[in-house]
C-alpha cells in the first residue's frame, strides 16, 4: 500500500510538470508571430485582416486571469484531475481550430489561439500548483518553481522546431510595410497553418501524458489540521505579545505594520508580510522550527493560507502585486511580442534571432533559480528582488529601440538582460506565504489591464498592402 501511494505521488509530481505545456506560448509567440503576421498580410489579405494581430498575445495574457479563478468552482464539480482533462480537450481543440481560423479572421484567431489558450494555460498552471502542493506540501515551493520552469524550457525546443519547419533555408524577410517587415515567400507562408497544428500536437501530447500520470492528491489529515491550529495559536500569541510591546517598538519595527488581527476568528493574520518580512524574523511569527521546538509538533505545512476575496481586497499586498504586474507587463510583452519582428528590420538573420529567443527561457529560468537561492540564503528579500527587477526593466526598456540598430550582439544582450530583469515575476507565486493560487490570480489581475496598456495600437486601422524592398 505504501509503495502504491509513493508511486502515485511521484507519478503525479512528474505529471504536473507535463500539464503546464500551454504556458510555453508566452516564450514562443515572439518567434511564431513573425510567420503568422506574414501569413495574415500576404496569404489571406484582405478577407482575414479584420483586426490588429498584436492583440493575440494580449488576449492570451488576459485569458490567464479567468483561467486561474475557474479552477476552484470546477474542482467542486468534476474534481482536480477531470477538471484538467476537460480543459485539455476543449482548449487544445481551439488550438487545432486556429489553423483554420487563421485563414478566415484575425479576430477569430485571437479568440481561439489567444484568449482560449490563455484560459487553458491559466487552468493548467493553477492545477499543477494544487497537485504538487497536495502531494508534497513540504516541498511545494521547489516543485512549483520546477513546474513553472518546465514550460519555459519546453519553448527552447519548440522555437527550434518552428523555425526549422517554417523557414529551413533561413530566408530573409522581403517586404516592408510601414515600420514592419514580413515574409512574402510562398514556401514559408504555405507552412504556417501546419506549424500551428504541430504546436497543438506537442501541447496536447504532453498534457495527455501528464493527466495519465496524475492522481488526485490525498485529503488533508486530522494531524495536519491540528498542526495548522497550533501554528495559528502560536501566531496569535506572538501578535498579542507584539501588541503589548508596540509602544516601545513603534519606531524600530515598522516592518510589522502589515501584521493584523482581523483574520478569521481573530486568529492568525490579516496580511502576510510579503514585501516587508524582516530577515532575522525576530518576532518568530512565521518560524516553523520555533513552533515545532516549543509545541513538540511536526508541521507539514509551508505557511500557505487560503483567503476569501473580501480578505484579500483589504490587503495592501493585493494592490502591490497588481501594480507590480502592470509595471512589468509592458516590458514583458514588448520582449515576447516584438523581439524578432522589430529586430528583422535591422538584423536580417532569422535563425540568429530564433537563437536569441531560444536563449531567453534558459536565462529566465537560470535567473529565477539564482534569485531564489539568494532569497533562501537570506541574502536578498522578496522586496529586494522585486525592486531590482523593476529597476532593471525600466532602464533596459529605454534602450530597446537603439540596440538593434547598433549591433546584433548588443541586441541579444539587451533581450537576455530583460529576461533576467523580468524573471522575479514568478517568485511572487513561489516565495510568498499566500495561497499560491490566490497569489497567481492577484499577479495576473495586474497583468490583465497591463495587456491592454502594452498594446501600442488600441484604435488601429489596417495600412494599405504596399511593399517596399528592405534596406540593407
Amino acid at each position: 500500500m505504501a509503495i502504491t501511494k509513493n508511486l502515485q505521488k511521484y507519478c503525479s509530481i512528474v505529471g504536473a510538470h507535463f500539464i503546464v505545456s500551454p504556458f510555453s506560448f508566452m516564450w514562443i509567440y515572439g518567434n511564431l508571430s513573425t510567420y503568422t503576421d506574414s501569413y495574415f498580410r500576404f496569404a489571406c489579405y484582405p478577407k482575414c485582416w479584420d483586426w490588429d494581430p498584436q492583440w493575440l498575445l494580449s488576449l492570451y495574457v488576459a485569458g490567464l486571469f479567468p483561467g486561474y479563478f475557474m479552477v476552484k468552482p470546477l474542482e467542486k464539480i468534476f474534481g482536480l484531475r477531470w477538471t484538467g482533462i476537460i480543459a485539455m480537450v476543449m482548449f487544445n481543440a481551439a488550438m487545432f481550430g486556429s489553423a483554420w481560423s487563421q485563414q478566415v479572421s484575425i479576430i477569430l484567431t485571437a479568440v481561439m489561439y489567444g484568449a482560449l489558450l490563455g484560459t487553458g494555460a491559466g487552468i493548467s498552471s493553477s492545477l499543477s500548483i494544487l497537485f504538487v502542493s497536495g502531494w508534497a506540501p513540504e516541498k511545494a515551493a521547489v516543485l512549483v518553481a520546477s513546474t513553472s520552469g518546465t514550460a519555459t524550457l519546453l519553448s527552447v525546443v519548440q522555437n527550434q522546431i518552428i523555425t526549422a519547419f517554417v523557414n529551413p533555408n533561413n530566408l530573409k524577410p522581403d517586404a516592408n510595410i510601414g515600420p514592419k517587415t514580413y515574409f512574402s515567400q510562398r514556401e514559408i507562408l504555405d507552412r504556417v497553418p501546419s506549424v500551428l497544428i504541430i504546436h497543438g500536437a506537442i501541447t496536447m501530447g504532453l498534457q495527455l501524458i501528464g493527466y495519465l500520470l496524475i492522481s488526485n492528491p490525498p485529503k488533508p489529515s486530522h494531524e495536519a489540521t491540528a498542526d495548522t491550529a497550533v501554528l495559528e495559536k502560536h501566531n496569535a500569541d506572538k501578535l498579542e505579545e507584539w501588541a503589548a510591546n508596540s509602544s516601545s517598538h513603534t519606531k524600530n519595527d515598522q516592518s510589522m505594520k502589515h501584521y493584523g488581527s482581523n483574520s478569521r476568528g481573530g486568529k492568525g493574520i490579516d496580511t502576510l508580510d510579503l514585501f516587508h518580512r524582516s530577515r532575522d524574523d525576530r518576532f518568530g511569527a512565521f518560524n516553523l522550527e520555533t513552533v515545532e521546538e516549543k509545541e513538540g509538533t511536526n508541521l507539514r505545512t509551508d505557511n500557505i493560507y487560503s483567503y476569501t476575496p473580501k480578505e484579500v481586497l483589504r490587503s495592501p499586498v493585493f494592490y502591490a502585486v497588481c501594480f507590480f504586474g502592470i509595471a512589468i507587463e509592458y516590458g514583458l510583452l514588448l520582449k515576447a511580442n516584438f523581439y524578432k519582428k522589430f529586430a528583422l528590420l535591422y538584423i536580417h538573420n532569422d535563425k540568429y534571432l530564433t537563437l536569441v529567443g531560444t536563449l531567453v527561457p534558459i536565462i529566465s529560468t537560470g535567473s529565477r533559480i539564482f534569485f531564489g537561492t539568494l532569497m533562501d540564503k537570506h541574502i536578498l528579500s522578496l522586496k529586494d528582488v522585486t525592486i531590482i527587477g523593476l529597476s532593471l526593466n525600466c532602464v533596459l526598456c529605454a534602450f530597446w529601440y537603439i540596440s538593434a540598430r547598433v549591433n546584433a550582439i548588443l541586441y541579444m544582450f539587451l533581450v537576455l538582460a530583460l529576461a533576467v530583469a523580468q524573471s522575479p515575476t514568478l517568485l511572487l507565486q513561489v516565495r510568498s506565504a499566500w495561497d499560491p493560487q490566490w497569489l497567481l490570480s492577484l499577479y495576473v489581475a495586474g497583468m490583465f489591464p497591463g495587456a491592454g496598456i502594452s498594446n501600442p495600437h488600441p484604435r488601429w486601422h489596417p495600412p494599405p498592402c504596399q511593399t517596399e524592398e528592405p534596406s540593407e
Side-chain angles (χ1 to χ4, degrees):
M1 184 66 181
I3 296 177
T4 304
K5 203 70 174 178
N6 285 334
L7 183 61
Q8 283 183 325
K9 173 182 176 179
Y10 294 124
C11 286
S12 296
I13 291 173
V14 172
H17 287 71
F18 282 97
I19 67 174
V20 295
S21 56
F23 212 72
S24 67
F25 183 80
M26 179 72 76
W27 288 274
I28 70 170
Y29 183 73
N31 182 34
L32 182 63
S33 64
T34 306
Y35 308 121
T36 56
D37 288 5
S38 297
Y39 185 89
F40 289 134
R41 171 54 62 184
F42 291 100
C44 65
Y45 185 90
K47 68 174 183 178
C48 67
W49 195 278
D50 52 6
W51 207 26
D52 188 346
Q54 292 178 80
W55 279 99
L56 199 151
L57 182 61
S58 296
L59 287 180
Y60 171 85
V61 174
L64 293 170
F65 181 56
Y68 287 121
F69 275 109
M70 288 171 63
V71 171
K72 286 293 186 182
L74 290 175
E75 177 199 359
K76 294 177 181 178
I77 302 173
F78 303 107
L80 279 180
R81 187 165 180 261
W82 277 104
T83 295
I85 292 173
I86 293 170
M88 175 190 71
V89 173
M90 293 177 61
F91 298 115
N92 279 286
M95 285 183 64
F96 287 117
S98 63
W100 163 80
S101 69
Q102 190 178 42
Q103 306 169 49
V104 178
S105 168
I106 293 177
I107 293 177
L108 190 57
T109 304
V111 171
M112 297 178 68
Y113 203 48
L116 289 178
L117 179 59
T119 304
I123 292 175
S124 300
S125 180
S126 185
L127 284 172
S128 70
I129 293 173
L130 294 175
F131 277 118
V132 298
S133 299
W135 278 107
E138 71 282 359
K139 297 181 180 179
V142 175
L143 290 173
V144 169
S146 64
T147 54
S148 64
T150 301
T152 312
L153 296 177
L154 172 63
S155 66
V156 173
V157 179
Q158 288 177 318
N159 273 323
Q160 294 299 321
I161 292 174
I162 289 168
T163 300
F165 179 81
V166 179
N167 190 11
N169 299 319
N170 198 25
L171 298 178
K172 297 179 180 179
D174 62 344
N176 280 3
I177 300 178
K180 298 181 182 179
T181 185
Y182 298 90
F183 295 94
S184 67
Q185 298 94 328
R186 181 54 57 180
E187 60 183 290
I188 289 180
L189 300 179
D190 289 344
R191 296 188 181 104
V192 173
S194 299
V195 82
L196 300 186
I197 296 176
I198 292 173
H199 177 217
I202 293 173
T203 300
M204 187 168 185
L206 291 174
Q207 282 195 298
L208 185 60
I209 294 172
Y211 285 115
L212 288 174
L213 292 172
I214 276 176
S215 302
N216 285 327
K219 298 293 183 181
S221 64
H222 295 294
E223 179 184 355
T225 304
D227 289 340
T228 303
V230 170
L231 179 63
E232 289 183 348
K233 181 179 180 299
H234 176 76
N235 287 341
D237 293 342
K238 285 295 179 180
L239 287 168
E240 290 176 4
E241 178 184 338
W242 170 75
N245 296 280
S246 59
S247 58
S248 60
H249 289 289
T250 302
K251 294 183 179 180
N252 297 326
D253 300 311
Q254 290 296 318
S255 64
M256 291 297 292
K257 64 184 177 182
H258 291 303
Y259 287 57
S261 58
N262 295 322
S263 59
R264 297 171 190 174
K267 297 180 180 181
I269 56 176
D270 178 51
T271 302
L272 294 175
D273 190 11
L274 177 62
F275 290 105
H276 298 84
R277 183 181 299 182
S278 58
R279 292 176 187 168
D280 58 358
D281 202 17
R282 54 187 174 276
F283 285 93
F286 298 101
N287 192 329
L288 283 178
E289 293 180 0
T290 303
V291 182
E292 291 174 358
E293 194 175 294
K294 180 178 178 181
E295 307 289 348
T297 59
N298 179 25
L299 295 180
R300 299 183 60 80
T301 175
D302 195 22
N303 292 320
I304 295 175
Y305 294 85
S306 183
Y307 285 81
T308 66
K310 185 176 179 180
E311 289 174 323
V312 171
L313 288 172
R314 291 203 309 263
S315 165
V317 178
F318 171 84
Y319 302 99
V321 174
C322 285
F323 282 120
F324 175 83
I326 293 173
I328 207 76
E329 184 67 6
Y330 184 88
L332 195 152
L333 282 186
L334 185 71
K335 173 174 63 66
N337 203 349
F338 299 107
Y339 86 88
K340 187 173 184 179
K341 286 189 285 189
F342 168 70
L344 280 171
L345 288 168
Y346 310 102
I347 304 170
H348 301 139
N349 190 331
D350 190 35
K351 289 191 174 179
Y352 173 79
L353 293 174
T354 299
L355 175 63
V356 173
T358 300
L359 292 175
V360 165
I362 297 175
I363 297 298
S364 180
T365 302
S367 300
R368 201 177 305 143
I369 294 172
F370 173 74
F371 283 124
T373 302
L374 292 180
M375 290 169 64
D376 280 343
K377 295 181 179 296
H378 304 290
I379 298 173
L380 293 176
S381 67
L382 185 57
K383 180 182 178 180
D384 296 332
V385 173
T386 303
I387 292 175
I388 290 170
L390 287 172
S391 302
L392 284 176
N393 185 73
C394 180
V395 173
L396 293 170
C397 283
F399 294 94
W400 173 268
Y401 293 100
I402 301 173
S403 57
R405 304 184 184 201
V406 175
N407 185 271
I409 301 297
L410 179 64
Y411 180 74
M412 178 183 70
F413 278 108
L414 176 85
V415 172
L416 297 182
L418 275 172
V420 174
Q422 294 159 3
S423 63
T425 53
L426 287 176
L427 290 175
L428 286 173
Q429 153 194 344
V430 181
R431 298 292 176 177
S432 78
W434 282 45
D435 183 322
Q437 188 190 18
W438 263 115
L439 198 64
L440 273 171
S441 302
L442 299 183
Y443 171 64
V444 179
M447 295 176 72
F448 188 91
I453 293 170
S454 60
N455 193 300
H457 301 296
R459 295 183 179 178
W460 172 88
H461 297 283
C465 189
Q466 297 176 350
T467 63
E468 306 169 0
E469 291 299 321
S471 59
E472 295 296 331

